[in-house]
Amino acid sequence: MTILSGLMIGMFLAALDQTIVSTAIRTIADDLHGLSQQAWTTTAYLITSTIATPLYGKLSDMHGRKPYFLAAISIFVTGSIACTFATSMIELAAFRAFQGLGAGGLMSLALAIIGDIVPPRERAKYQGYILAVFATSSVLGPLVGGFLAGQSTILGIAGWRWVFLVNVPIGMVALFVVAKVLNVPHTRRNHRIDWWGAVTIALGVVPLLLVAEQGQSWGWLSGRSLACYLVGVGGVVAWILVERRMGDAALIPMRLFSNKVFSLTSLLSVLVGMGMFGGMLMIPQYLQIVKGASPTKSGLLMLPLMLGMMAASIATGQLTARTGRYKIFPVFGTALLTVAMLLFHFEVQWNSPLLETMGFMLLFGIGLGLTMQTLTLSVQNAVPAKDMGVATASSTFFRQLGATAGTAIFLSVLFSTVGDKINHAFTAAARTPQFQQALNNPAVAGKPGNQPVVQLIQHPGSGGGSSVLSDSSFIQKLDDVFAAPFKQGFADSMHLVFLLGAGVTALAFVLVLFIKEVPLRSVSGIQAQAQAAAAAMEKAAAKEADAS
């Protein structure tokens, strides 16, 4: 538990950073005069953290976890300090890219260290605490980020800069605790470092992530997008060829994919990552745009989702430790995720009561809690102990790829359809007596806050429903009768996103049925490696005896 406390602080850094920045990014972009460039800060962070993840796993398998976990914390904290000095969005994107190099090791190495010191049957119980950290940060992040971004200055420093500075004291505590208590024995294994694997995987993933993030603004079939597709596919093919040639020294050894559990779980991680971020991305959008909640309040309203995830993850860990069975949990978890997505699609309207929506959030959170940690446990238990780090990092890598792709796809669907949905809603609303009465009342139509609607009515079919999306905050300034079509349009577009998310999680449900449940080992990763080494020595001694 002492070691776990250090790991949890390190993971808290990475998990908190994802949520705390998202609620403050609009304020940051306004202050740095780069609203249209804000996507690059997210892209830069995702790219470097995704690429670094498997590299941390492989290097830690060779040289031990502790030095690389300490390095990841140090890089992350240094990047956080640099972010506070950013004077433009381009500078901030560069500093966030450096910060991502550290973030790539925090999550995967913490899970790998747990795999080293805890037997699989007991591991789920401790990973439940880890997931609870993620859930806690998901609640605290929007609250803290919204509060800090809302302050003009704190101790003479702009409020939004504290979004990054808050990582420094947490990181210092994590460094001290990990340096003092994380003394895990490690047998050094000398392998070649697969630098070409790192280069080719970057060449494959970076262009695809870029086009996933920027494709909507570039155009999915534009010259830049097509170039990204070609370079990305070429990079992936080159990476596979390099990894085959490197054998056991590869960043992600190809022999692992011959393990059905590993290969199926990797694909499942991509699907669950897409579904998870699809839901967790749309729900705050619904709460803030449709229901008018502030970023801080929307964080509080998502408490049922986080509490469901925490409770289910801890309960799953306890039951796995007692019974040794684990496959049943992702089966039920992916089923619940699909049901929750379908309920959001069919039942949640722009004027639905919040209590009903929060009930669906609870169901979604329970589904995540039943699924998330079990995927990592399944991968760790299915591979040899010597591959613990690379297998754990691979699981995180594929889940993050799915999350990034899902974020880009679902946002693209939302914003490419919402303009037409709003126009259709206005067409229907304009026929109602209440709407016409308000439109013909100079006291109502003359309000500055209602001008976007007046412009849309005066110029129908001009794309007004889409053009106003650059700043959705005006919706909350409209009179209720004028705001309703905007809220209905957003809700209708979100229905399509939730339906796509349900399709992804339903595919995950079918896939998990084919994953074989491997009996959980009763020894830790370190003990398994020691037993394997002892068996190899006995075998060698027996051969010598036979020869003599």
Side-chain angles (χ1 to χ4, degrees):
M1 290 300 293
T2 307
I3 294 174
L4 186 66
S5 66
L7 302 180
M8 290 171 71
I9 296 171
M11 290 187 68
F12 185 71
L13 277 171
L16 181 67
D17 190 73
Q18 292 178 358
T19 54
I20 197 173
V21 173
S22 63
T23 57
I25 190 63
R26 165 100 25 167
T27 303
I28 295 171
D30 286 340
D31 194 51
L32 296 179
H33 307 293
L35 189 63
S36 62
Q37 299 170 323
Q38 63 175 287
W40 289 104
T41 62
T42 305
T43 305
Y45 181 87
L46 280 173
I47 287 172
T48 53
S49 61
T50 301
I51 296 301
T53 295
L55 196 58
Y56 275 109
K58 186 63 181 179
L59 291 173
S60 69
D61 275 345
M62 294 167 58
H63 307 125
R65 317 281 185 223
K66 183 174 181 177
Y68 289 101
F69 196 58
L70 290 173
I73 296 173
S74 301
I75 293 170
F76 186 86
V77 171
T78 303
S80 298
I81 295 172
C83 287
T84 64
F85 292 98
T87 57
S88 69
M89 290 300 284
I90 298 301
E91 276 188 21
L92 183 61
F95 295 146
R96 287 281 284 165
F98 184 79
Q99 191 184 27
L101 290 174
L106 293 177
M107 195 77 70
S108 60
L109 286 182
L111 293 172
I113 292 168
I114 292 176
D116 286 335
I117 63 178
V118 182
R121 184 156 177 167
E122 297 293 320
R123 198 174 301 155
K125 180 167 60 178
Y126 293 95
Q127 286 179 340
Y129 299 129
I130 294 291
L131 198 56
V133 168
F134 177 78
T136 303
S137 67
S138 298
V139 175
L140 285 179
L143 297 177
V144 176
F147 171 77
L148 293 175
Q151 309 302 309
S152 56
T153 59
I154 300 174
L155 299 178
I157 301 173
W160 68 261
R161 296 184 188 272
W162 285 94
V163 167
F164 302 103
L165 275 178
V166 76
N167 291 328
V168 178
I170 301 173
M172 292 302 178
V173 172
L175 272 175
F176 175 78
V177 174
V178 171
K180 190 168 181 63
V181 306
L182 185 58
N183 298 308
V184 179
H186 176 75
T187 303
R188 182 183 177 90
R189 294 192 299 278
N190 291 317
H191 287 294
R192 289 179 296 166
I193 298 177
D194 185 16
W195 295 117
W196 279 112
V199 170
T200 51
I201 200 173
L203 195 63
V205 172
V206 169
L208 296 179
L209 288 181
L210 276 176
V211 75
E213 190 77 29
Q214 302 294 329
Q216 185 187 357
S217 58
W218 290 351
W220 295 106
L221 296 177
S222 67
R224 279 187 288 186
S225 295
L226 292 174
C228 284
Y229 298 141
L230 289 173
V231 174
V233 171
V236 170
V237 171
W239 174 70
I240 293 173
L241 295 175
V242 168
E243 299 301 86
R244 283 185 177 277
R245 183 163 184 166
M246 291 295 292
D248 279 351
L251 206 61
I252 303 178
M254 289 292 107
R255 61 177 169 78
L256 291 178
F257 290 98
S258 64
N259 183 320
K260 281 191 175 181
V261 174
F262 179 86
S263 55
L264 286 176
T265 305
S266 297
L267 179 56
L268 190 60
S269 294
V270 173
L271 295 175
V272 170
M274 290 182 69
M276 176 182 74
F277 272 78
M280 295 186 75
L281 189 71
M282 284 302 113
I283 293 171
Q285 296 268 358
Y286 173 81
L287 293 173
Q288 293 182 39
I289 296 176
V290 178
K291 289 300 184 181
S294 66
T296 305
K297 186 179 179 181
S298 70
L300 288 172
L301 290 174
M302 288 188 70
L303 274 174
L305 190 155
M306 302 309 165
L307 291 175
M309 186 162 66
M310 288 174 64
S313 64
I314 292 173
T316 298
Q318 297 288 343
L319 289 170
T320 301
R322 290 178 186 175
T323 65
R325 308 301 298 270
Y326 60 90
K327 180 178 175 178
I328 189 67
F329 300 117
V331 171
F332 276 111
T334 50
L336 285 178
L337 287 174
T338 305
V339 170
M341 289 279 200
L342 289 174
L343 286 172
F344 275 109
H345 170 72
F346 288 109
E347 299 296 330
V348 176
Q349 308 299 327
W350 70 273
N351 55 356
S352 295
L354 268 176
L355 194 61
E356 178 184 76
T357 307
M358 292 168 77
F360 301 155
M361 287 185 215
L362 177 65
L363 196 65
F364 189 84
I366 292 172
L368 282 178
L370 291 173
T371 306
M372 289 288 293
Q373 64 166 329
T374 313
L375 295 181
T376 302
L377 175 68
S378 176
V379 168
Q380 290 178 333
N381 187 62
V383 301
K386 64 186 179 69
D387 293 321
M388 186 72 69
V390 70
T392 307
S394 299
S395 177
T396 305
F397 172 75
F398 288 117
R399 184 168 64 246
Q400 194 156 330
L401 274 182
T404 307
T407 298
I409 292 168
F410 291 144
L411 279 178
S412 177
V413 170
L414 174 68
F415 288 112
S416 63
T417 60
V418 71
D420 289 338
K421 298 287 186 183
I422 289 173
N423 285 329
H424 287 317
F426 262 107
T427 301
R431 302 191 188 101
T432 63
Q434 298 91 338
F435 192 95
Q436 289 297 327
Q437 185 178 357
L439 189 63
N440 294 320
N441 186 342
V444 177
K447 289 182 180 179
N450 289 330
Q451 289 309 299
V453 172
V454 175
Q455 294 291 328
L456 188 63
I457 296 298
Q458 290 176 348
H459 305 284
S462 62
S466 299
S467 63
V468 295
L469 297 179
S470 58
D471 180 8
S472 61
S473 61
F474 79 91
I475 297 175
Q476 312 312 325
K477 302 172 186 176
L478 298 172
D479 283 23
D480 289 344
V481 68
F482 290 151
F486 283 100
K487 295 179 178 180
Q488 185 178 344
F490 269 103
D492 289 346
S493 287
M494 289 176 189
H495 287 164
L496 179 57
V497 175
F498 284 121
L499 186 61
L500 289 174
V504 170
T505 53
L507 183 58
F509 170 75
V510 173
L511 187 63
V512 79
L513 296 176
F514 292 93
I515 293 179
K516 181 181 178 182
E517 184 174 38
V518 180
L520 294 176
R521 291 193 295 259
S522 58
V523 295
S524 69
I526 292 173
Q527 290 171 324
Q529 288 188 59
Q531 290 177 0
M537 289 178 65
E538 286 180 11
K539 189 175 181 179
K543 279 187 177 180
E544 286 182 11
D546 290 342
S548 62

